[in-house]
């Protein structure tokens, strides 16, 4: 894997993305997110309650966005034959996989950043407050998890529409199935983290009483699952997957 | 596919076979896109699955159903590909190739606006970007108009002559292959039925048909039909056509027959087998 070729591949991918209506998509996403936000509040506690519900909305929005972007990048290019063309050039499979993942992740980050940053003026968030960054880190972690799930499904199905549907069903299905087990639910894990750190930093306590072990698990579970999915997908793509 | 041993010497090799014979599968194995179920495939002495990147550095390819990024211009696309091959001046190389395949004017247009023929020509250009030693073309003239086809074939021939680039051309259009190929590989049901130089295969699968022009075809036909070495003979116009079992006997006996009948021999010609005939015979024999 050469870094130089990987950079070129990322440039190729981003150039392709840039031709799609990215800016329009970002504006659309931001407008939808803004419509969901409540009227500006002054009270700190209310502000972070609103912020939490805003994150839940953004997460749902990201499930759809990740599904469509990664389905296009992996399953779509496998299905349409673009991957075959790319792998007919002197590019190793690791570079192709990593560059596709990175470029899609970057695109998704642009969309996420646009929507997330809307919270600052609309909820009158203070950038010096640690909760803003805790929340950001938690969301980026969730985002990475979404991306690895979408990649794995893409490689398994090789079909854009099936990937999108399976991805969406996986997350909504998981949320519905796990019930009260917050550690297994994406929203639940976010809730654990925000409750814990709101208590640590600001002395606020909401309904959930969270232990530090639960916090550790809320971080380890998605990171471990993401790492396993990423490495598994990469190994499958690199060593096993046939392109025809 | 079973025990494929495809020999591709320097020059232009035609790769023919019916649909589903295994042509595209063979090409995909060569490029390391498919893994052989058992054994290994060697290209330039390198394992096609584990060392495919090294192989692809030396090989250019145009796939049968090539899909290029539609939002790119032809020029920009070739520049990207040139960078993958570490070409020093990608812009210059892209321009040069667009001109070679007759797409200079369309270089600034987005690929989504290209016709099917233009896409095939762009495909040929991207296969040549890295100045490869060996180029695989899968149905290179599909969807191209007759003049475009001739241009593609001419480009292939020129590249072979001027740069010594070797080609493996898979095609169903045998008369076209006949114009450029020096070597032929015939595949059927996943195995190589036969391969060799076109001349050798032509004589091996020759129909052994000769065209003889004499002063009185009817008299000559009556007499030649009685000869043991003749399988079949017929008259077409003022010429006699003979399909023989043993060409040596024809060479020995025919002058004597002509002399005995008091006829005049005007011309005598061996009719070469076309690629289509070779293909039919080889497939039937295989």
């Amino acid at each position: 894997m050469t870094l130089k070729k990987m950079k070129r591949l990322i440039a190729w991918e981003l150039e392709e993305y840039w031709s799609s209506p990215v800016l329009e998509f970002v504006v659309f996403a931001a407008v939808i997110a803004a419509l969901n936000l409540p009227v500006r509040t002054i009270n700190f506690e209310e502000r972070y309650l609103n912020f939490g519900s805003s994150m839940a909305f953004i997460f749902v929005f990201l499930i759809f966005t990740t599904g469509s972007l990664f389905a296009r990048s992996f399953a779509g290019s496998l299905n349409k034959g673009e991957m075959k063309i790319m792998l007919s050039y002197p590019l190793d499979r690791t570079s192709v996989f990593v560059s596709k993942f990175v470029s899609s992740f970057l695109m998704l980050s642009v969309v996420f950043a646009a929507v997330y940053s809307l919270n600052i003026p609309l909820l009158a968030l203070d950038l010096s407050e640690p909760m803003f960054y805790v929340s950001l880190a938690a969301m980026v972690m969730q985002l990475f998890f979404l991306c690895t799930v979408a990649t794995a499904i893409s490689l398994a199905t090789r079909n854009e529409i099936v990937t999108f549907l399976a991805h969406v069903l996986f997350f909504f299905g998981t949320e519905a199935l796990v019930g009260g087990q917050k550690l297994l639910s994406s929203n639940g894990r976010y809730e654990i983290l925000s409750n814990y750190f709101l208590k640590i930093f600001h002395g606020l306590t909401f309904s959930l009483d969270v232990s530090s072990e639960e916090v550790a698990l809320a971080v380890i579970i998605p990171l471990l699952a993401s790492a396993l999915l990423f490495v598994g997908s990469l190994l499958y793509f690199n060593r096993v997957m046939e392109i025809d | 596919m079973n025990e494929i041993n495809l020999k591709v010497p320097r020059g232009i090799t035609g790769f023919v076979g019916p649909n589903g014979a295994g042509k595209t599968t063979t090409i995909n194995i060569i490029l390391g896109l498919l893994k052989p179920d058992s054994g290994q495939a060697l290209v330039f002495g390198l394992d096609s699955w584990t060392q495919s990147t090294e192989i692809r550095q030396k090989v250019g390819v145009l796939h049968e159903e090539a899909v290029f990024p539609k939002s790119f211009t032809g020029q920009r696309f070739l520049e990207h590909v040139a960078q993958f091959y570490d070409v020093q001046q990608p812009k210059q190389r892209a321009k040069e190739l667009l001109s070679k395949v007759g797409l200079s004017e369309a270089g600034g247009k987005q690929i989504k606006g290209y016709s099917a023929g233009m896409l095939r020509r762009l495909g040929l250009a991207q296969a040549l970007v890295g100045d490869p030693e060996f180029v695989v073309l899968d149905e290179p003239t599909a969807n191209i108009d007759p003049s475009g086809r001739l241009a593609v074939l001419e480009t292939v021939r020129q590249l072979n002559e001027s740069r010594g680039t070797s080609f493996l051309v898979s095609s169903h259009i045998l008369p076209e292959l006949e114009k450029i190929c020096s070597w032929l590989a015939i595949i059927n049901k996943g195995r190589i039925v036969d391969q060799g130089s076109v001349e050798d295969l032509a004589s091996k699968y020759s129909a052994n048909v000769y065209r003889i022009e004499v002063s009185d075809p009817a008299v000559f036909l009556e007499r030649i039909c009685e000869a043991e070495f003749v399988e079949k003979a017929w008259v077409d116009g003022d010429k006699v056509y003979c399909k023989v079992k043993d060409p040596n006997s024809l060479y020995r006996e025919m002058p004597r027959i002509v002399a005995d009948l008091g006829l005049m021999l005007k011309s005598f010609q061996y009719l070469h087998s076309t690629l289509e005939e070779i293909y039919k015979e080889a497939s039937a024999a295989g």
Side-chain angles (χ1 to χ4, degrees), chain B residues 148-197:
Chain B
R149 284 177 174 198
L150 289 173
V152 167
L153 296 175
E154 193 48 39
T155 308
V156 169
R157 196 211 308 266
Q158 273 176 13
L159 280 162
N160 174 247
E161 283 172 5
S162 61
R163 290 172 176 256
T165 312
S166 296
F167 288 86
L168 176 70
V169 187
S170 162
S171 176
H172 284 117
I173 309 169
L174 300 182
E176 276 182 7
L177 277 184
E178 199 165 359
K179 287 176 189 162
I180 55 168
C181 289
S182 52
W183 189 271
L184 188 70
I186 302 164
I187 187 170
N188 198 6
K189 293 176 186 165
R191 64 187 194 88
I192 300 289
V193 172
D194 210 340
Q195 57 187 325
S197 72

Side-chain angles (χ1 to χ4, degrees), chain B residues 6-22:
Chain B
L6 177 64
K7 188 180 172 189
V8 183
R10 291 205 172 273
I12 304 171
T13 299
F15 192 34
V16 297
N19 286 332

Side-chain angles (χ1 to χ4, degrees), chain A:
Chain A
M1 177 171 70
T2 62
L3 204 60
K4 205 166 135 192
K5 282 193 179 171
M6 209 148 76
K7 277 184 192 167
R8 286 169 183 165
L9 269 166
I10 292 172
W12 163 304
E13 289 285 328
L14 289 177
E15 216 170 306
E16 264 202 277
Y17 269 126
W18 195 244
S19 65
S20 56
V22 178
L23 193 64
E24 290 86 335
F25 188 63
V26 169
V27 171
F28 169 76
V31 168
I32 296 288
L35 287 175
N36 182 60
L37 287 174
V39 185
R40 175 189 264 208
T41 48
I42 307 295
N43 177 290
F44 182 84
E45 194 167 335
E46 272 181 34
R47 230 168 50 205
Y48 273 97
L49 272 174
N50 289 336
F51 189 49
S53 66
S54 168
M55 287 305 107
F57 172 79
I58 290 179
F59 185 70
V60 170
F61 174 75
L62 286 176
I63 290 174
F64 287 100
T65 317
T66 314
S68 72
L69 280 179
F70 277 75
R72 176 192 173 281
S73 184
F74 282 95
S77 66
L78 277 164
N79 188 272
K80 288 173 190 160
E82 286 163 9
M83 187 78 89
K84 187 175 177 178
I85 300 295
M86 205 169 255
L87 288 174
S88 299
Y89 301 133
L91 302 166
D92 61 280
R93 289 191 177 206
T94 306
S95 299
V96 172
F97 179 91
V98 174
S99 61
K100 277 194 169 287
F101 189 91
V102 169
S103 52
S104 301
F105 188 77
L106 282 174
M107 283 312 299
L108 198 62
S109 301
V110 169
V111 177
F112 169 67
V115 181
Y116 190 82
S117 57
L118 262 182
N119 286 280
I120 302 167
L122 290 172
L123 287 174
L125 294 179
D126 184 350
L127 291 183
S128 65
E129 285 168 6
M131 262 320 286
F132 181 81
Y133 299 99
V134 168
S135 176
L136 181 64
M139 285 305 285
V140 170
M141 194 171 66
Q142 302 278 41
L143 196 65
F144 190 66
F145 182 50
L146 283 170
C147 295
T148 54
V149 171
T151 305
I153 297 173
S154 275
L155 297 186
T157 66
R158 298 183 182 213
N159 183 298
E160 219 167 329
I161 296 168
V162 175
T163 297
F164 177 76
L165 292 175
H167 179 76
V168 170
L169 279 174
F170 173 81
F171 280 98
F172 285 110
T174 308
E175 294 299 313
L177 287 173
V178 295
Q181 293 179 293
K182 288 196 178 296
L183 279 171
L184 297 177
S185 134
S186 300
N187 277 327
R189 286 192 296 269
Y190 180 82
E191 208 181 323
I192 288 172
L193 291 172
S194 66
N195 274 267
Y196 182 79
F197 286 104
L198 276 171
K199 188 179 171 187
I200 296 281
F201 293 130
H202 307 290
L204 296 176
T205 46
F206 296 116
S207 55
L208 207 62
D209 191 24
V210 182
S211 66
S212 52
E213 286 80 19
E214 280 177 305
V215 172
L217 284 173
V219 173
I220 290 168
I221 288 172
L223 284 182
L224 191 65
S226 303
L228 285 173
L229 282 169
F230 184 84
V231 173
S233 301
L234 176 60
L235 287 175
Y236 173 69
F237 184 75
N238 217 349
R239 307 244 171 110
V240 183
M241 194 169 196
E242 295 189 304
I243 317 284
D244 51 12

Side-chain angles (χ1 to χ4, degrees), chain B residues 131-143:
Chain B
D131 201 7
E133 285 176 42
F134 175 47
V135 179
V136 179
L137 304 175
D138 199 357
E139 298 292 347
T141 56
N143 298 321

